Amino acid sequence: MRLAQGIVTVLLLGGVLLPAGEAAVAPVTAPAHADEDLDALAEQAEQAKEDLEKATEDYTDREKDLDAAQEELVSTLHELQQTELELGDMREPLSQMASTLYQQPDAGALGLMTSGSVQQDLRVDSYVSKLSEDKDALIEEANKLRDRQVELTNEAQNLQAETQLARVELKSDLEDLKKQSEESTEKLTKELKDRGLDVDAYMAGVECDPSKGAQASNYPNGLLPQGALCELPQGGEFLRADAAVDFMEMNQAYADEFGSQMCLTSSYRDLPNQQRVYAEQPPGNAAVPGTSNHGWGLAVDICGGVQNQGSAQFNWLEANSRKWGWFHPQWAYSNPFEPWHWEYEAAKAE
């Protein structure tokens, strides 16, 4: 609701609050030069992470292939079982045929007619004749099934061995990459701690893409899209992405100098908050809503000693801030006097 009211306010007062040329956000500038050693370590950690992610994806894909191979193995074992059953079914008639022909090797069919029953003798003769006719075919089929049984047994053994080996190799490769990623991250973390830098702050800077600041183009002051902003390590504070990256690098250098990161009371200020600040301050002490550099995500108000002009913190920042594109605007030295207010190089004067 407050955001909707802010939009209405901008539309109604646009001619007053947003002078010509002010509607578009200030251009994105390249971030200041980063520490090469830390960048190299961060790149190694990032590369190790990407390698691990890719290996995990490959592992998942190959697991699917191995599952398919396992299914093939099960199918092969099933076929082998069926072959053995078929061979079992053939053993009885083959045994009977062999026994019968063994008992009467030369008498033939007539020699078997000893039962005294013509019908029975005819049935025996018919059965023996049938066995004789099918003997070669049965033996041939049995031999084929036996060969197939041997083939399937070898195939099943090979599939099982290959599947087990592939799983072992996959797990080993993944464990190696996990270890590599952990070692890279630990090395980067140790370097940051040895330098007295805040690990979370640095990681926030690594994860913030300065090019995202371009998403703020053509958005009104105080109504920037969330995608154009990055959160600062101070927590709950945001700046336009390119300004945020440089601020975080400056914050690291400040922490190295003073032992703690910068203290903030304000950063990006959306339109409703600009209206609140304007209503709370005496006339002239706050920018008209819709014109503040806080609304572009290009200004911060700093505490922790910087708010006192002439302090060690103020003097250090005044001497070094431009290395990262930040500066204390001339108007803030006197009218109104705001030693805590600092702006990004791409910002327009209030």
Side-chain angles (χ1 to χ4, degrees):
M1 182 65 180
R2 294 174 63 194
L3 181 59
Q5 292 174 344
I7 295 174
V8 172
T9 302
V10 170
L11 293 175
L12 292 176
L13 303 179
V16 176
L17 303 185
L18 300 177
E22 292 274 320
V25 72
V28 175
T29 58
H33 183 64
D35 186 291
E36 293 182 358
D37 292 338
L38 283 178
D39 278 356
L41 288 172
E43 287 176 5
Q44 291 173 12
E46 180 66 21
Q47 185 61 52
K49 184 191 75 172
E50 291 177 359
D51 290 344
L52 181 58
E53 289 175 348
K54 185 177 185 303
T56 301
E57 292 176 0
D58 291 343
Y59 182 89
T60 302
D61 291 340
R62 291 178 67 182
E63 273 287 327
K64 293 178 182 178
D65 293 339
L66 290 175
D67 288 341
Q70 187 69 24
E71 291 178 4
E72 182 181 353
L73 173 60
V74 171
S75 176
T76 299
L77 291 173
H78 179 71
E79 186 178 351
L80 176 59
Q81 185 180 33
Q82 292 298 115
T83 301
E84 291 174 345
L85 290 174
E86 290 177 20
L87 279 172
D89 292 340
M90 293 181 65
R91 286 191 183 100
E92 185 175 353
L94 282 172
S95 176
Q96 290 176 354
M97 180 184 71
S99 176
T100 301
L101 294 179
Y102 174 76
Q103 293 173 10
Q104 302 292 337
D106 300 318
L110 294 177
L112 295 173
M113 297 180 184
T114 59
S115 66
S117 169
V118 175
Q119 290 183 346
Q120 184 175 356
D121 289 342
L122 287 174
R123 284 198 296 271
V124 171
D125 178 63
S126 176
Y127 179 69
V128 172
S129 298
K130 178 63 175 174
L131 287 177
S132 297
E133 291 172 2
D134 293 345
K135 177 182 67 175
D136 292 339
L138 284 169
I139 293 174
E140 182 180 358
E141 184 177 354
N143 287 335
K144 287 181 179 179
L145 285 171
R146 177 57 63 185
D147 291 341
R148 180 58 178 158
Q149 183 184 41
V150 172
E151 180 184 341
L152 288 171
T153 300
N154 292 333
E155 186 177 339
Q157 291 174 344
N158 290 335
L159 279 171
Q160 188 171 22
E162 290 171 2
T163 300
Q164 290 175 343
L165 179 61
R167 289 188 188 280
V168 170
E169 290 176 345
L170 275 175
K171 187 175 182 180
S172 176
D173 290 345
L174 199 59
E175 288 300 321
D176 288 344
L177 287 170
K178 282 182 181 178
K179 184 178 179 181
Q180 181 181 337
S181 179
E182 289 171 359
E183 289 176 350
S184 297
T185 302
E186 288 173 3
K187 188 175 181 180
L188 173 60
T189 301
K190 182 179 183 300
E191 181 68 19
L192 290 169
K193 289 180 177 179
D194 288 346
R195 297 187 183 203
L197 300 178
D198 186 276
V199 176
D200 292 336
Y202 184 83
M203 293 304 182
V206 170
E207 293 171 1
C208 179
D209 180 2
S211 66
K212 287 170 45 178
Q215 296 180 31
S217 299
N218 300 320
Y219 276 85
N221 184 298
L223 297 174
L224 304 187
Q226 190 65 33
L229 306 173
C230 283
E231 185 173 9
L232 304 179
Q234 283 75 5
E237 303 289 346
F238 295 82
L239 287 172
R240 199 177 72 179
D242 53 322
V245 169
D246 282 336
F247 175 85
M248 285 187 274
E249 291 176 0
M250 180 173 67
N251 182 57
Q252 291 170 14
Y254 180 95
D256 191 41
E257 180 71 18
F258 295 104
S260 63
Q261 62 183 359
M262 282 188 279
C263 164
L264 294 183
T265 60
S266 183
S267 51
Y268 170 66
R269 197 177 292 162
D270 61 20
L271 192 59
N273 274 309
Q274 291 184 51
Q275 294 167 340
R276 175 186 57 78
V277 172
Y278 185 76
E280 294 173 350
Q281 296 295 322
N285 278 16
V288 173
T291 66
S292 172
N293 277 327
H294 285 285
W296 296 123
L298 302 174
V300 291
D301 290 344
I302 308 175
C303 46
V306 177
Q307 76 277 15
N308 300 317
Q309 185 171 336
S311 67
Q313 292 87 351
F314 180 94
N315 291 341
W316 182 90
L317 203 58
E318 186 179 46
N320 295 282
S321 62
R322 286 191 180 273
K323 295 177 184 178
W324 299 279
W326 287 87
F327 67 101
H328 187 52
Q330 192 61 41
W331 61 262
Y333 283 95
S334 58
N335 186 28
F337 179 63
E338 293 186 5
W340 55 82
H341 182 88
W342 296 74
E343 297 181 356
Y344 192 57
E345 201 166 69
K348 303 167 187 175
E350 289 186 303

